[in-house]
């Protein structure tokens, strides 16, 4: 991009081919518009609804489910059409929910376009005119005043008290003074280019004339839009884990079909019978409800988060936060209140009220009614003084009625001060001056001591300078307040000539203070193994002061500026990134580099922010969190999550929720897969042992897989977050879901379920003369109850059901009762008996079924107790030094 700020004013006008007073002609403006295009941000064409829907069907799990539905429908000759319909319904539901929650960079770009000013005050052919902002071209002259939204990047030609709020672009919390100065150094950071105004920023005070240097995608905002266009949609850790499971299950299905079909043929079974059994078992091997269970669990988590101040725009985002190892946070409005506040007042004689009342009167901030109360409107620093005065019992409206303004000289960046004139009740008048301390010190002859005015001696001056220096070291913005009493009102209203022989009243130190609850949230981050990092466009001293107050800067941590980052290669940043806790005066490119450096270190990165300048980093991060109140539409459009309360603490709660959601999804996967392994084991062992008949019929397998599995799995999804989850480190994003312990637990629990099912079949075979019908019924009942009981012990890997309490998850109790009712219906209701091939069981058979079905759950609970004793023993040995 062209460094217009580094060129002289005449060189800029010559390069743009325009006059500094008459602007462009209408004809020339039209030619440039046709050549360079409209002053708009380009949008990337998003995929249509059909393409997006088809994209949802590319997931391996979805493809396997669709294939299973087709095979089930074809192989069953039409009798299993319900199975196929249910599977297709699950796939469609999952796709619809995903499409409704997800968003793309297109919406972020639309939000960027919405920030553009619709109309602008331009000068063409020497005449002022109103021009549609989209029709502006480089070389156009525009006039700006307080309240205007800057329509394009422009060079300042003339200015009178012109200030702009650039916080959305640079992160600078205070309005920036703009002036018609000469060329600036080529390496000047974006936030320090005082001779430029930026597209999308707001003029807060004064007026000025500027020449447009860049429009559309060539502006700084357009550059950010380009960065957003380059950002693709990355896969979340959960999506990667689900792809891993999908691939594993796809391979398992093919193996099951091939092995079972081949073994059956070798045993002399009928081809059609074995094909039906193999396909049914393959369908049983796939937990059809898993995608829906995962989606519903995430959706329930989204609802809980919405109640706690976070709106999730992409379902996997909550889970992604669960493995976040780094939170890169913007300072202004995120860690701080985005509201200047008086932090300290220094006076030579202790009269604090004189400083605040004088500062409030010598300001343009106003108190206005807002609903049932009042609020201050105006420059943030002046608002801070007015608020502090009101807190001390001095309402500015009352002060102005008592001491009305009779003269003034507005603030000027060259003079660095402002003065106002007010009549006194005792006669005469008082001049009040507010401005930069070093400037006012040079104009003072007296100081306000404890008992009246005293001489402004070198000793008093040193005390004042030391106080100013101490406040500045703490990153406070310092203003001095002085006054001068006159015997009568002067004839004119310009107070400039009266600004001499002043009496120093005191100093006011202000800053944008940290949110009071953030310090605890930062501490919780460190406890949870999460590294909080501040990334701001503000100055280093200000950033360091906030970081120290929040205890974000730990021993050994350092701060770095954007200028220093410019000289740091990316590979070096990636090596050294763990040393930096504070980044100051950074640009959007810097923020992206920081996020990417942490990602290169294998960390899952969450990025918070509220400004336009945060949007690319929000998009590049694994999860972007935008502020709902102070955040721009651009930031919200690029983020995965919006915090409605602008509260950093909500992010920490979201991390806890994310960890709990992942744990619940893992429990659901554990339950579904262990149950399905049990089903596979029962049928496979029966085939391998060449039993007279298959213990479970295809329709029983499908019924178990769709009905009995799904309800308990959903109940596991609402399991309360276990205690201590925020005392553990984040799980690595690349870590496999199927750890050694997890896989072994799945295997032995599934095999045990299969073994007791075969045991029930054998008992039934021996108890009845016809054998088959009762054996199959006992196997079916045992497997169903096994799964229902097993759901309770899956609720925790460490705590027993007695420790958790049966009623702590009421959804699980309801799922158990519904599953039990469905089982009894299949065993007792004659029409359903015909469908499932079951018969009435004698009381002795019911006793064996109940006893066998409790074995897997009891074994799992026993393992927990054994491991708990071992953990206690290890802790005891460690305590005594063994």
């Amino acid at each position: 991009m062209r460094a217009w700020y580094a060129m002289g004013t005449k060189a800029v006008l010559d390069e743009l081919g325009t006059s500094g007073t008459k602007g462009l002609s209408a004809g020339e403006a039209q030619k440039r518009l046709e050549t360079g295009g409209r002053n708009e941000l380009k949008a990337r064409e998003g995929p249509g609804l059909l393409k997006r829907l088809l994209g949802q069907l590319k997931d391996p799990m979805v493809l396997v489910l669709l294939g299973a539905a087709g095979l089930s429908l074809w192989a069953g000759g039409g009798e299993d059409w319900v199975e196929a319909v249910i599977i297709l319904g699950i796939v469609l539901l999952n796709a619809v929910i995903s499409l409704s929650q997800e968003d793309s960079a297109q919406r972020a770009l639309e939000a960027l376009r919405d920030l553009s000013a619709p109309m602008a005050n331009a000068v063409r052919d020497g005449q002022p005119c109103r021009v549609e902002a989209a029709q502006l071209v480089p070389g156009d002259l525009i006039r700006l005043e307080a309240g205007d939204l800057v329509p394009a990047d422009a060079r300042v030609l003339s200015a009178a008290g012109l200030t702009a709020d650039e916080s959305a672009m640079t992160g600078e919390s205070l309005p920036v003074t703009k002036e018609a100065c000469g060329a600036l150094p080529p390496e000047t950071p974006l936030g320090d280019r005082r001779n430029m105004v930026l597209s999308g920023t707001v003029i807060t005070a004064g007026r000025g004339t500027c020449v447009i240097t860049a429009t559309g995608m060539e502006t700084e905002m357009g550059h950010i839009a380009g960065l957003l266009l380059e950002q693709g949609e990355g896969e979340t850790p959960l999506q990667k884990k689900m792809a891993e499971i999908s691939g594993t299950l796809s391979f398992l299905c093919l193996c099951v079909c091939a092995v079972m079909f081949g073994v059956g043929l070798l045993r002399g079974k009928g081809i059609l019978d074995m094909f039906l059994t193999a396909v049914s078992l393959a369908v049983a091997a796939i937990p059809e409800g898993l995608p829906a269970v995962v989606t519903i669990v995430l959706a329930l988590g989204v609802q809980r988060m919405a109640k706690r101040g976070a709106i999730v725009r992409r379902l996997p985002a909550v889970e992604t936060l669960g493995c976040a190892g780094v939170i890169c946070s913007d300072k202004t409005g995120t860690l701080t209140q985005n509201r200047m506040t008086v932090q300290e007042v220094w006076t030579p004689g202790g009269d604090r009220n004189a400083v605040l009342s004088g500062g409030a009167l010598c300001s343009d901030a106003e108190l206005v009614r807002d609903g049932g109360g009042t609020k201050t409107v105006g420059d943030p620093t002046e608002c801070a003084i007015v608020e502090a005065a009101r807190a001390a019992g001095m309402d500015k409206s009352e002060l102005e009625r008592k001491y009305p303004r009779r003269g003034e000289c507005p603030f000027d960046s060259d003079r660095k001060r402002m003065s106002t004139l007010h009549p006194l009740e005792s006669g005469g008048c008082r001049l009040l001056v507010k401005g930069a301390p070093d400037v006012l010190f040079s104009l003072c002859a007296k100081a306000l001591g404890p008992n009246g005015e005293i001489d402004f001696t070198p000793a008093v001056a040193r005390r004042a300078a030391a106080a100013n220096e101490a406040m500045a070291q703490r990153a406070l913005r310092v203003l001095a307040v002085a006054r001068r009493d006159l015997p009568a009102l002067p004839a004119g209203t310009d107070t400039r000539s009266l600004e001499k022989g002043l009496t120093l009243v005191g100093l006011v130190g202000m800053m944008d203070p940290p949110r009071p609850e953030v310090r605890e949230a930062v501490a919780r981050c460190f406890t949870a193994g999460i590294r909080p990092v501040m990334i701001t466009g503000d100055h280093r001293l200000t950033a360091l002061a906030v970081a120290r107050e929040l205890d974000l800067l730990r021993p050994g941590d350092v701060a770095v500026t954007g200028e220093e980052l410019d000289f740091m290669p990316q590979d070096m940043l990636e090596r050294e990134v763990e040393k930096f806790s504070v980044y100051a005066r950074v640009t959007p490119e810097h923020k992206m580099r920081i996020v990417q450096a942490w990602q290169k270190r294998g960390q899952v990165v969450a990025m918070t922010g509220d400004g336009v300048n945060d949007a690319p980093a929000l998009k590049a991060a694994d999860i972007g969190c935008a502020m709902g109140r102070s955040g721009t539409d651009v930031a919200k459009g690029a983020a995965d999550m919006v915090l409605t309360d602008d509260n950093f603490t909500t992010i920490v709660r979201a991390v806890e929720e994310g960890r709990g959601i992942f744990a619940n999804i893992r429990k659901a996967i554990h339950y579904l897969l262990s149950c399905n392994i049990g089903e596979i084991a029962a049928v496979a062992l029966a085939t391998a042992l060449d039993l007279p008949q298959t213990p479970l019929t295809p329709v029983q397998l499908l019924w178990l897989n769709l009905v009995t599995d799904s309800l308990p799995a959903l109940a596991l999804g609402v399991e309360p977050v276990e205690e201590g989850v925020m005392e553990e480190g984040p799980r690595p994003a690349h870590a496999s879901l199927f750890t050694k312990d997890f896989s072994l637990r799945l295997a032995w629990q599934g095999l045990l379920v299969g073994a007791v099912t075969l045991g029930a079949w054998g008992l039934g075979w021996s108890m009845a003369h016809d054998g088959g019908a009762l054996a199959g019924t006992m196997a079916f009942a045992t497997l169903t109850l096994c799964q229902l009981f097993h759901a309770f012990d899956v609720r925790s890997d460490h705590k027993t059901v007695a420790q958790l309490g049966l009623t702590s998850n009421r959804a699980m109790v309801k799922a158990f009762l519904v599953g039990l009712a469905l089982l009894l219906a299949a065993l007792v209701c004659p029409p359903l008996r015909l469908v499932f091939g079951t018969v009435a069981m004698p009381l002795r058979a019911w006793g064996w079924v109940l006893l066998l079905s409790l074995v897997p759950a009891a074994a799992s609970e026993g393992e927990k107790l054994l491991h708990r004793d071992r953990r206690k023993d290890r802790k005891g040995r460690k305590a005594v030094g063994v």
Side-chain angles (χ1 to χ4, degrees):
M1 299 179 68
R2 194 70 178 272
W4 296 99
Y5 61 89
M7 301 169 60
T9 304
K10 185 177 185 304
V12 170
L13 294 173
D14 291 343
E15 184 73 17
L16 293 170
T18 186
S19 166
T21 56
K22 295 184 178 181
L24 298 175
S25 66
E28 179 63 23
Q30 183 61 34
K31 288 180 183 178
R32 296 189 182 188
L33 183 65
E34 294 172 356
T35 303
R38 290 168 61 86
N39 180 29
E40 294 176 336
L41 299 176
K42 295 180 181 178
R44 178 174 56 194
E45 290 295 329
L49 180 61
L50 179 60
K51 189 173 181 180
R52 293 175 65 198
L53 182 60
L54 292 175
Q56 295 290 326
L57 304 181
K58 292 179 181 180
D59 184 84
M61 173 71 81
V62 174
L63 293 175
V64 171
L65 288 177
L66 292 175
L71 286 173
S72 178
L73 182 60
W74 177 68
E79 66 176 2
D80 292 329
W81 62 271
V82 175
E83 163 74 11
V85 170
I86 292 176
I87 294 176
L88 293 174
I90 290 172
V91 171
L92 182 61
L93 177 64
N94 190 54
V96 169
I97 293 176
S98 296
L99 287 176
S100 65
Q101 289 287 335
E102 292 182 358
D103 201 7
S104 63
Q106 179 68 23
R107 293 192 182 181
L109 292 174
E110 289 173 358
L112 280 168
R113 286 200 298 273
D114 291 341
L115 286 181
S116 300
M119 299 294 293
N121 294 315
V123 178
R124 286 182 177 172
D125 294 314
Q127 299 296 322
C129 59
R130 293 279 288 172
V131 178
E132 184 183 350
Q135 302 287 332
L136 293 173
V137 296
D140 262 326
L141 287 187
I142 56 172
R143 291 176 176 172
L144 300 172
E145 58 186 24
D148 285 349
L149 193 65
V150 181
D153 288 0
R155 176 70 176 264
V156 179
L157 300 180
S158 64
L162 187 68
T163 61
D165 180 0
E166 295 184 341
S167 61
M169 289 294 292
T170 67
E172 173 64 62
S173 58
L174 298 172
V176 180
T177 300
K178 299 297 179 179
E179 54 190 358
C181 63
L184 299 176
E187 65 277 5
T188 304
L190 184 65
D192 294 333
R193 297 172 191 173
R194 63 184 185 277
N195 60 1
M196 298 287 296
V197 288
L198 304 176
S199 175
T201 61
V202 180
I203 301 300
T204 56
R207 59 186 183 276
T209 300
C210 309
V211 58
I212 292 179
T213 56
T215 60
M217 296 298 291
E218 298 301 317
T219 63
E220 293 292 340
M221 182 180 284
H223 183 50
I224 293 175
L227 295 175
L228 287 177
L229 279 173
E230 295 171 3
Q231 289 297 318
E233 297 287 345
E235 283 191 328
T236 68
L238 178 62
Q239 290 170 327
K240 295 175 183 177
K241 300 298 181 297
M242 294 307 299
E244 175 189 332
I245 296 173
S246 300
T248 302
L249 293 180
S250 301
F251 178 75
L252 177 63
C253 289
L254 293 175
C255 292
V256 167
C257 287
V259 172
M260 290 300 301
F261 187 71
V263 170
L265 291 180
L266 291 175
R267 295 289 188 183
K269 306 284 187 180
I271 294 178
L272 182 58
D273 289 341
M274 283 311 304
F275 185 72
L276 286 172
T277 301
V279 170
S280 299
L281 194 58
V283 174
I286 310 168
E288 286 93 337
L290 183 56
V293 167
V294 171
T295 301
I296 292 171
V297 170
L298 289 173
L300 292 173
V302 166
Q303 292 176 6
R304 289 195 296 270
M305 285 308 304
K307 295 177 182 178
R308 302 178 74 177
I311 297 175
V312 178
R313 305 174 72 244
R314 296 180 64 232
L315 281 180
V318 177
E319 184 276 332
T320 308
L321 264 179
C323 53
V326 178
I327 299 179
C328 296
S329 177
D330 181 44
K331 178 185 72 69
T332 306
T334 306
L335 297 173
T336 64
Q337 301 176 24
N338 199 20
R339 181 175 61 87
M340 291 296 289
T341 306
V342 172
Q343 300 289 309
E344 188 174 339
V345 176
W346 177 87
T347 64
D351 194 349
R352 190 173 188 272
N353 285 353
V355 181
L356 295 178
S357 61
L361 282 170
C362 186
S363 72
D364 292 326
E366 297 179 356
L367 285 170
V368 297
R369 293 199 173 276
D370 181 28
T374 58
K375 67 176 183 179
T376 54
V377 177
D379 180 85
T381 56
E382 293 188 338
C383 288
I385 296 175
V386 171
E387 285 285 353
R390 184 169 65 164
M394 297 172 288
D395 188 285
K396 187 188 178 184
S397 301
E398 295 295 330
L399 289 173
E400 287 182 329
R401 278 192 288 270
K402 190 174 182 180
Y403 305 106
R405 186 180 298 186
R406 292 291 183 258
E408 66 180 308
C409 183
F411 177 83
D412 182 89
S413 59
D414 292 329
R415 297 179 345 105
K416 297 182 179 181
R417 62 185 182 273
M418 167 185 185
S419 58
T420 57
L421 193 63
H422 307 265
L424 298 174
E425 293 177 329
S426 57
C429 63
R430 175 169 289 170
L431 176 74
L432 294 171
V433 185
K434 170 174 61 65
D438 54 340
V439 173
L440 261 64
F441 290 166
S442 64
L443 300 174
C444 287
K446 301 282 187 179
L448 188 61
N451 301 311
E453 294 185 356
I454 59 175
D455 291 335
F456 194 63
T457 61
V460 175
R462 283 194 297 271
R463 285 177 53 210
N468 177 39
E469 180 66 21
M471 290 186 192
Q473 287 295 324
R474 292 193 293 276
L476 300 182
R477 178 169 183 176
V478 187
L479 289 177
V481 178
R483 71 188 191 191
R484 179 187 176 189
D485 289 343
L486 301 168
L489 279 171
T493 58
D494 189 342
T495 59
R496 199 171 318 192
S497 61
L498 305 175
E499 296 171 352
K500 55 187 177 182
L502 304 178
T503 298
L504 179 66
V505 181
L507 305 175
V508 181
M510 295 160 287
M511 73 175 298
D512 180 13
R515 293 177 178 272
E517 69 278 1
V518 169
R519 184 182 177 89
E520 181 181 351
V522 169
R524 289 198 70 195
C525 283
F526 283 110
T527 301
I530 301 168
R531 176 73 176 274
V533 177
M534 179 192 295
I535 305 179
T536 179
D538 226 329
H539 293 278
R540 186 203 292 261
L541 278 179
T542 305
L544 282 173
V546 173
R548 290 191 182 101
E549 190 164 343
L550 295 176
D551 200 21
L552 189 146
L553 203 67
R554 296 297 173 99
D557 294 347
V558 297
V560 65
T561 64
E563 186 176 0
E564 292 167 339
L565 283 178
D566 287 333
F567 294 96
M568 187 182 299
Q570 186 65 14
D571 59 346
M572 181 178 178
L573 177 60
E574 292 168 5
R575 290 194 306 270
E576 304 290 331
V577 68
E578 294 183 357
K579 293 170 28 178
F580 305 126
S581 287
V582 175
Y583 297 85
R585 305 302 283 171
V586 294
T587 64
E589 291 89 344
H590 293 144
K591 294 185 179 185
M592 288 184 64
R593 286 184 59 195
I594 296 163
V595 168
Q596 291 165 355
W598 276 109
Q599 290 172 331
K600 281 286 188 180
R601 302 285 293 185
Q603 295 285 355
V604 173
V605 182
M607 170 73 192
T608 72
D610 59 357
V612 175
N613 61 311
D614 296 321
L618 289 171
K619 196 71 176 175
D622 297 284
I623 176 167
C625 306
M627 301 297 109
R629 293 180 180 175
S630 61
T632 61
D633 288 340
V634 181
K636 296 174 188 176
D640 302 292
M641 176 184 293
V642 178
L643 306 180
T644 59
D645 55 4
D646 286 16
N647 195 333
F648 184 82
T649 306
T650 304
I651 303 168
V652 182
R653 291 200 297 261
V655 170
E656 182 178 13
E657 190 71 39
R659 292 185 178 187
I661 285 174
F662 179 80
N664 288 348
I665 291 174
R666 189 171 179 270
K667 293 169 187 175
I669 293 172
H670 178 184
Y671 172 73
L672 291 170
L673 294 187
S674 60
C675 289
N676 288 0
I677 289 173
E679 297 166 10
I680 295 169
V683 177
L685 286 174
T687 304
L689 296 172
D690 197 21
L691 296 182
Q693 69 178 46
T694 303
L696 300 164
T697 65
V699 70
Q700 289 172 347
L701 286 171
L702 298 174
W703 183 86
L704 279 165
N705 211 41
L706 281 174
V707 180
T708 310
D709 286 1
S710 58
L711 293 177
L714 288 173
L716 287 169
V718 295
E719 187 71 27
V721 179
E722 293 191 53
E723 294 181 5
V725 71
M726 290 299 286
E727 296 176 3
E728 304 171 358
R731 69 182 188 280
H734 59 274
S736 173
L737 177 68
F738 294 98
T739 62
K740 181 180 178 181
D741 290 342
F742 185 67
S743 300
L744 287 175
R745 193 176 296 117
L746 283 179
W748 76 256
Q749 289 178 352
L751 291 174
L752 186 56
V753 168
V756 298
T757 302
L758 278 183
W761 184 90
L763 285 171
W765 185 270
S766 65
M767 289 170 61
H769 296 294
D770 58 352
L774 179 60
T777 302
M778 288 184 66
F780 175 58
T782 301
L783 182 57
T784 303
L785 284 175
C786 265
Q787 295 184 4
L788 292 176
F789 287 132
H790 181 44
F792 283 96
D793 69 73
V794 174
R795 291 176 56 196
S796 174
D797 291 340
H798 309 296
K799 292 185 178 180
T800 63
V801 175
Q803 291 173 317
L804 292 172
L806 279 175
T807 59
S808 59
N809 186 345
R810 296 182 182 275
M812 181 61 72
V813 177
K814 294 177 182 178
F816 175 83
L817 293 176
V818 171
L820 183 61
L822 291 172
L823 172 64
L824 292 175
L827 296 177
V828 176
C829 184
L832 291 179
R833 279 184 181 176
L834 185 62
V835 173
F836 292 106
T838 59
V839 296
M841 291 191 301
L843 187 60
R844 185 164 60 120
W846 274 108
W848 278 112
V849 165
L850 184 61
L851 180 63
L852 289 172
S853 61
L854 285 169
V855 170
S860 180
E861 294 292 273
E863 183 204 27
K864 294 176 187 177
L865 291 173
L866 181 63
H867 284 173
R868 183 185 66 180
D869 292 339
R870 287 177 178 174
R871 284 195 298 271
K872 285 183 177 179
D873 185 58
R874 283 197 299 266
K875 288 182 180 179
R877 288 173 177 270
K878 187 176 181 180
V880 297
V882 178

